[in-house]
Amino acid sequence: MTTVAGAGEGLAAWITPSRTAVLVIDIQVDFASPEGALGGYVDMAVVQPAVTAAERLVEAARGAGVPVVFVGLFTAPETDSPSWKERMRRRGGDPDNESALCREGEVGSDFYGPKPLPDDLVVKKVRYSGFVGTNLDARLNALGVDTLVVAGLTTECCVDSTVRDAFSLDYHVFVAADACAAYEPEIHAASLKVMELNSAILTDTAAIAHAWSA
């Protein structure tokens, strides 16, 4: 991360609550909990600071009246991507096993850390981007939102894919860098740099909370 938008010129106006929503991407048991599907292969300690930061971000958003949208992966065998599975096969993996993440109705798809309240929007997706095959764009438009603050897992995958699509749909995109994580810190850092270069402004939860408190 090379720059962080602070409380100086613009941030409070850029993310004013009347135009902004928080997107929480894929912070779910299979991706974040030691008890989830990836917990046996990945040290989930690396993502816990981001989960905690996302909880602070959600709390700040609710305090400021900013809508929080929980975007999660909810899969079923019939919605698995044939091209994704073939790519896994060509790489020598087990496509059926590796596709069985965040199966709808199973514990692995439950949100972890920050959790939706009854009035929060929940958008279920079956691809990396929160905008592909969902009504996320329509729901944000209905709220009068043109600005997004994004947090979640993992930085280089579903966060990056959602951010790119949001920017292509003409949203103003801010990434809460400390509320995102990848399983390898260097991948997280590189992904933040790419998003900063191409599609988002980087900030952090402290700056965002300060802007909303002002």
Side-chain angles (χ1 to χ4, degrees):
M1 182 171 60
T2 56
T3 22
V4 174
E9 191 278 318
L11 186 61
W14 293 340
I15 62 168
T16 187
S18 63
R19 67 188 302 178
T20 303
V22 167
L23 298 189
V24 180
I25 310 289
D26 287 12
I27 305 184
Q28 294 166 273
V29 168
D30 274 351
F31 295 133
S33 170
E35 306 303 319
L38 298 183
Y41 309 96
V42 176
D43 180 5
M44 290 298 173
V46 74
V47 305
Q48 295 314 306
V51 173
T52 300
E55 291 178 316
R56 294 196 301 268
L57 176 64
V58 168
E59 181 180 2
R62 289 174 174 152
V66 174
V68 181
V69 182
F70 286 80
V71 180
L73 182 69
F74 290 84
T75 68
E78 57 270 23
T79 63
D80 289 343
S81 166
S83 61
W84 192 94
K85 292 178 76 171
E86 178 61 14
R87 176 174 172 270
M88 289 299 103
R89 187 191 67 77
R90 292 175 181 180
R91 295 179 64 195
D94 180 346
D96 290 326
N97 181 58
E98 293 180 48
S99 294
L101 293 172
C102 296
R103 289 302 198 204
E104 185 153 18
E106 298 182 7
V107 172
S109 65
D110 290 348
F111 290 105
Y112 181 83
K115 295 179 177 63
L117 297 178
D119 291 338
D120 291 333
L121 294 179
V122 175
V123 173
K124 297 181 178 183
K125 65 184 179 70
V126 294
R127 298 295 184 268
Y128 292 154
S129 170
F131 290 96
V132 172
T134 74
N135 62 357
L136 177 58
D137 185 39
R139 296 175 82 172
L140 293 172
N141 287 335
L143 292 172
V145 164
D146 70 357
T147 300
L148 302 176
V149 172
V150 182
L153 305 175
T154 56
T155 316
E156 84 288 356
C157 189
C158 294
V159 172
D160 177 82
S161 295
T162 301
V163 164
R164 287 171 184 262
D165 284 350
F167 186 69
S168 295
L169 289 166
D170 289 331
Y171 289 94
H172 308 290
V173 186
F174 295 81
V175 173
D178 60 328
C180 300
Y183 301 125
E184 299 177 38
E186 62 272 21
I187 292 178
H188 169 71
S191 299
L192 289 176
K193 185 171 183 178
V194 170
M195 285 189 282
E196 183 186 38
L197 285 170
N198 295 314
S199 52
I201 291 174
L202 302 186
T203 185
D204 59 32
T205 54
I208 293 163
H210 180 79
W212 283 337
S213 69

